[in-house]
Amino acid sequence: MTSIENMPRSVSQTEQYEKCGWRFFLQRIERVTPLPAAWSHHGTAFHSAAEAVERSGRQMGEEEAVQLFSDEYAALVNRALDKEPDTDRWLSASGPGAVDIERRYVLGQEQTAQYVRWALEHQPAIWQTPKDKQPALELYFKVELGGVQVRGYIDQLVTEADNSVRVRDLKTGTTKSRFQLETYGVAVRQAFGVEANKGDWYLAKAGGLSKPVDLTDVTAEQVGERYAAMDEGVKAGRFEASPGFLCRFCDMKHKCDFF
């Protein structure tokens, strides 16, 4: 328990614990190997391609970006297949695992090409960090919220007309976390001294942005309450199971007594 007690918290840890403490226990304390899912590799490869496009100053074209996605997706899937070659054991929200792997390869290519076109059309101004003048892409932060060390990576910060920044998270799936944007907003203020009044998601499925989320009145104290509660629960050894519909998509279900 020593390592998990002392390690910094994150959005994903906190939301996982809140949704099902037993999944948290199996994955992060028992270190159970999760079931593979093509959706995970899809998201990772898309993020890598989008980041590369932005770091190139949007000089990277569709063909190169799509190739980058394809190469990374294939590499991630092949490594996962080495560990779990039975695709019937892979998690999937749409058909057999093998079908989902192939489907997401094509879908991710289409979404990557669409991102390149969207970025060139809309030209969002990526914020630069004041100290080292680096573009705020996959920007690391570590702050204290609710007496708890919290860390994470922000996909993008975009400069607004009033010199504030907009927090942007890239999504290939449908699940969106307001808590994630709220955490990033207060973290940006604390770590970089710049206002973050809005947040949004780039939705790869739609090829565009979500409606903006107002972060103006979100305080570090409000966000910190959830981290403090989660941290206290982990340290107290409380890991309550929450069996239900979402269990079918859980990467710990193969080792779960409640499934």
Side-chain angles (χ1 to χ4, degrees), residues 1-254:
M1 282 289 291
T2 302
S3 61
I4 197 70
E5 282 183 341
N6 297 328
M7 69 186 299
R9 304 308 181 197
S10 67
V11 171
S12 60
Q13 281 188 49
T14 303
E15 292 191 320
Q16 183 186 61
Y17 179 83
E18 291 173 343
K19 290 175 182 176
C20 183
W22 192 244
R23 181 188 178 196
F24 181 99
F25 175 80
L26 291 175
Q27 181 172 338
R28 301 182 187 271
I29 297 178
E30 291 294 293
R31 303 291 184 182
V32 171
T33 300
L35 292 174
W39 64 61
S40 175
H41 308 314
H42 173 190
T44 299
F46 175 83
H47 276 74
S48 295
E51 181 183 355
V53 169
E54 297 298 345
R55 290 195 184 279
S56 75
R58 304 192 184 111
Q59 296 302 302
M60 179 180 288
E62 286 184 40
E63 184 175 347
E64 187 178 356
V66 168
Q67 189 62 56
L68 192 156
F69 168 86
S70 304
D71 291 345
E72 177 153 355
Y73 180 80
L76 291 168
V77 168
N78 286 334
R79 283 200 292 270
L81 285 169
D82 286 342
K83 295 179 181 179
E84 179 50 82
D86 184 359
T87 56
D88 287 339
R89 286 175 53 82
W90 282 50
L91 296 174
S92 172
S94 56
V99 174
D100 194 44
I101 290 171
E102 295 297 329
R103 182 182 72 85
R104 288 181 181 277
Y105 181 75
V106 175
L107 178 61
Q109 291 177 328
E110 294 170 350
Q111 291 175 342
T112 299
Q114 175 62 38
Y115 179 83
V116 175
R117 294 192 294 269
W118 176 86
L120 287 173
E121 178 183 353
H122 295 276
Q123 294 289 327
I126 302 298
W127 186 70
Q128 290 191 337
T129 57
K131 185 176 181 179
D132 52 13
K133 302 301 180 183
Q134 293 299 307
L137 302 165
E138 289 296 318
L139 183 64
Y140 176 77
F141 69 85
K142 186 176 180 181
V143 296
E144 183 176 301
L145 298 172
V148 178
Q149 289 293 313
V150 178
R151 65 183 177 189
Y153 290 87
I154 304 172
D155 287 346
Q156 297 179 358
L157 292 180
V158 179
T159 301
E160 298 278 67
D162 61 359
N163 292 320
S164 66
V165 296
R166 179 178 296 210
V167 177
R168 179 159 295 158
D169 193 57
L170 310 183
K171 289 295 182 188
T172 52
T174 56
T175 301
K176 301 189 295 293
S177 168
R178 184 185 178 95
F179 178 58
Q180 183 179 34
L181 296 184
E182 292 174 344
T183 294
Y184 292 171
V186 298
V188 163
R189 295 171 195 153
Q190 186 171 323
F192 301 102
V194 61
E195 284 300 316
N197 298 323
K198 293 181 181 179
D200 60 26
W201 296 275
Y202 175 83
L203 304 174
K205 284 190 171 183
L209 299 179
S210 70
K211 292 182 179 179
V213 175
D214 186 1
L215 303 177
T216 307
D217 296 327
V218 178
T219 67
E221 290 74 21
Q222 291 171 334
V223 175
E225 288 178 359
R226 288 178 66 173
Y227 286 105
M230 173 268 187
D231 187 69
E232 192 276 329
V234 170
K235 290 177 176 176
R238 293 196 300 271
F239 303 104
E240 297 179 7
S242 302
F245 173 77
L246 293 179
C247 291
R248 62 184 295 192
F249 306 111
C250 178
D251 56 4
M252 294 288 111
K253 66 181 182 181
H254 58 306

